[in-house]
């Protein structure tokens, strides 16, 4: 592998204004799963294979994590209060966001299926200072949508989304809305209409995009790819940019390690810096850099980190041949 090119790919994709060495000091993105449960059963999700139960993060643990993050607020790009499941099942979500914002965290986000985003919840999130909400709405057709977002009601979700836009414009115009379609066989042809519909309703500072269905590190049953992936030929950006923290404080390999097959440690026993700079994390990065990526089963053919096609410059295809994993 061309190590220099691999390093260049990583910092260009993660944080172009920094160096490769900067990335291993502290994670630029942190995802905190405050609740491990969901109100939907989507075919592109692995929820039927979850083995960790459904705890909600305790206040003292969240406070410990928040204190660590706030001490590194100048290094962090974004703190996302979700991972597996629906974050709005956590009734303390707005208070948790407010705690981070009051501590100086520059950007907070959640990703929601929007079914629980009623007016009261919307107002509380906006007043707390939420910076980004990713709305996962995969179709404008009721039958297609409900075939993807099983257990959810299309009309309720659309009403919640459009009311949130109105409330956002009035209460906190700085909150960005990212409207996201997970593109798959059933909605493949909808993108032009989908984009046009939401473009008429959202602000210029918002984002409308699609992400192709992914394989969860080879763990998604009956996975059918709809596009070519370059990720198996590249070191994974997650190991240099993202730390995931589960509701009990466990830190897994990455965002696809939903059952913690490759544990890194627990934030009740270690600081985020200690885990990020640990010998185990360094070894996993070396495996991605020296052609042993496939030795980690979840990494072998994972396509989760495919770039969204609305990215201005796609780096993955540009570097895939230059880096050549295993060469």
């Amino acid at each position: 592998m061309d190590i220099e090119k691999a390093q260049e790919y990583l910092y260009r994709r993660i944080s172009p204004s920094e160096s490769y060495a900067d990335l291993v000091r502290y994670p630029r993105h942190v995802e905190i799963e405050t609740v491990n449960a969901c109100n939907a059963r989507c075919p592109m999700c692995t929820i039927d294979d979850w083995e960790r139960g459904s705890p909600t993060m305790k206040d003292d643990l969240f406070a410990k994590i928040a204190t660590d993050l706030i001490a590194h607020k100048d290094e962090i790009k974004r703190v996302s209060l979700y991972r597996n499941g629906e974050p709005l099942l956590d009734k303390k979500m707005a208070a948790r966001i407010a705690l981070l914002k009051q501590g100086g965290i520059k950007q907070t986000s959640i990703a929601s299926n929007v079914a629980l985003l009623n007016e009261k919840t919307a107002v509380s999130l906006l007043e707390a200072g939420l910076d980004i909400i990713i709305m996962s709405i995969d179709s404008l057709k009721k039958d297609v949508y409900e075939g993807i977002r099983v257990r959810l009601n299309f009309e309720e979700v659309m009403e919640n989304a459009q009311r949130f836009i109105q409330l956002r414009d009035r209460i906190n115009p700085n909150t960005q809305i990212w409207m996201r379609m997970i593109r798959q066989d059933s909605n493949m042809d909808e993108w032009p209409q989908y984009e046009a519909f939401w473009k008429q309703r959202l602000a210029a500072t918002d984002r409308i995009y699609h992400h192709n269905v992914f394989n969860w590190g080879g763990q998604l049953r009956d996975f059918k790819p709809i596009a070519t992936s370059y990720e198996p030929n590249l070191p994974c950006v997650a190991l240099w940019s993202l730390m995931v923290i589960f509701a009990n404080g466990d830190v897994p390999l990455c965002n696809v390690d939903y059952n913690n097959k490759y544990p890194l440690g627990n934030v009740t026993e270690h600081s985020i810096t200690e885990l990020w700079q640990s010998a185990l994390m360094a070894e996993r990065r070396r495996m991605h850099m020296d052609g042993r990526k496939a030795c980690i089963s979840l990494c072998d053919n994972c396509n989760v980190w495919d770039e969204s096609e609305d990215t201005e410059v796609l780096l993955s295809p540009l570097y895939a041949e230059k880096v050549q994993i295993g060469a």
Side-chain angles (χ1 to χ4, degrees):
M1 176 188 289
D2 187 330
I3 300 297
E4 186 175 330
K5 286 295 181 184
Q7 292 180 350
E8 181 181 301
Y9 163 74
L10 289 166
Y11 71 71
R12 282 190 65 189
R13 186 154 175 205
I14 297 166
S15 189
S17 63
E18 299 184 273
S19 70
Y20 174 82
D22 292 329
L23 302 181
V24 297
R25 287 202 305 267
Y26 200 84
R28 293 300 178 261
H29 297 268
V30 177
E31 291 183 353
I32 306 172
E33 176 198 80
T34 69
V35 60
N36 177 224
C38 194
N39 54 332
R41 292 297 182 273
C42 307
M44 67 282 192
C45 181
T46 58
I47 190 169
D48 291 337
D49 298 324
W50 293 358
E51 298 172 354
R52 293 186 294 107
S54 54
T56 300
M57 183 173 283
K58 295 180 179 179
D59 292 347
D60 58 347
L61 176 54
F62 186 84
K64 181 181 187 298
I65 297 168
T67 298
D68 194 325
L69 296 173
I70 290 166
H72 294 269
K73 61 187 178 183
D74 294 331
E75 298 170 81
I76 295 172
K77 288 180 175 291
R78 185 184 309 151
V79 177
S80 302
L81 295 178
Y82 67 92
R83 172 46 6 230
N84 300 306
E86 171 52 49
L88 295 185
L89 287 168
D90 181 357
K91 303 301 182 184
K92 298 180 179 180
M93 181 55 64
R96 300 191 196 276
I97 292 167
L99 179 63
L100 293 172
K101 294 303 296 180
Q102 289 162 10
I105 296 298
K106 293 186 288 289
Q107 197 171 77
T108 59
S109 73
I110 62 170
S112 174
N113 61 38
V114 193
L116 302 177
L117 192 61
N118 57 40
E119 183 170 356
K120 180 180 178 181
T121 298
V123 170
S124 68
L125 293 173
L126 291 165
E127 291 180 344
L130 178 66
D131 295 285
I132 298 171
I133 180 168
I134 302 169
M135 295 188 178
S136 293
I137 302 177
D138 305 302
S139 177
L140 299 177
K141 301 175 182 177
K142 177 179 173 65
D143 59 333
V144 174
Y145 173 85
E146 293 183 354
I148 296 173
R149 299 285 166 173
V150 178
R151 295 188 181 181
L152 306 187
N153 179 275
F154 175 73
E155 289 84 4
E156 289 180 359
V157 166
M158 292 296 287
E159 180 181 351
N160 287 348
Q162 295 185 80
R163 181 178 57 239
F164 186 90
I165 295 169
Q166 296 169 358
L167 290 168
R168 183 279 305 269
D169 293 346
R170 178 166 56 86
I171 298 172
N172 188 357
N174 292 323
T175 299
Q176 288 187 324
I177 299 170
W178 291 10
M179 192 62 62
R180 179 178 66 185
M181 169 195 284
I182 302 298
R183 197 171 65 160
Q184 49 205 285
D185 282 343
S186 60
N187 64 5
M188 276 279 293
D189 300 328
E190 285 191 54
W191 176 248
Q193 293 79 18
Y194 182 96
E195 183 181 33
F197 178 88
W198 290 114
K199 192 172 184 179
Q200 292 177 352
R201 291 160 175 79
L202 292 170
T205 52
D206 293 327
R207 182 183 180 194
I208 310 164
Y209 71 109
H210 65 75
H211 194 295
N212 293 329
V213 63
F214 46 78
N215 64 8
W216 287 98
Q219 299 176 98
L220 182 63
R221 301 175 189 177
D222 303 318
F223 170 70
K224 295 179 180 179
I226 64 169
T228 300
S229 174
Y230 297 93
E231 292 309 298
N233 298 322
L234 294 162
C236 181
V237 295
L239 298 186
W240 283 265
S241 65
L242 173 66
M243 177 174 283
V244 173
I245 305 173
F246 288 147
N248 66 349
D250 282 341
V251 177
L253 170 69
C254 64
N255 53 324
V256 306
D257 190 10
Y258 51 83
N259 281 331
N260 203 19
K261 290 181 180 179
Y262 294 91
L264 183 62
N266 191 292
V267 293
T268 62
E269 302 165 355
H270 303 280
S271 70
I272 290 175
T273 298
E274 288 171 339
L275 293 170
W276 194 247
Q277 297 180 8
S278 67
L280 179 55
M281 193 65 174
E283 172 59 18
R284 289 171 175 174
R285 292 183 183 123
R286 280 194 296 271
M287 293 174 76
H288 274 241
M289 283 295 205
D290 66 13
R292 295 181 293 135
K293 176 179 178 177
C295 294
I296 304 173
S297 63
L298 298 183
C299 304
D300 184 18
N301 195 37
C302 183
N303 69 335
V304 168
W305 283 91
D306 283 338
E307 293 174 273
S308 175
E309 292 178 16
D310 71 340
T311 304
E312 187 174 342
V313 178
L314 291 173
L315 296 175
S316 298
L318 179 64
Y319 279 87
E321 291 186 7
K322 296 178 182 179
V323 170
Q324 295 181 351
I325 277 189

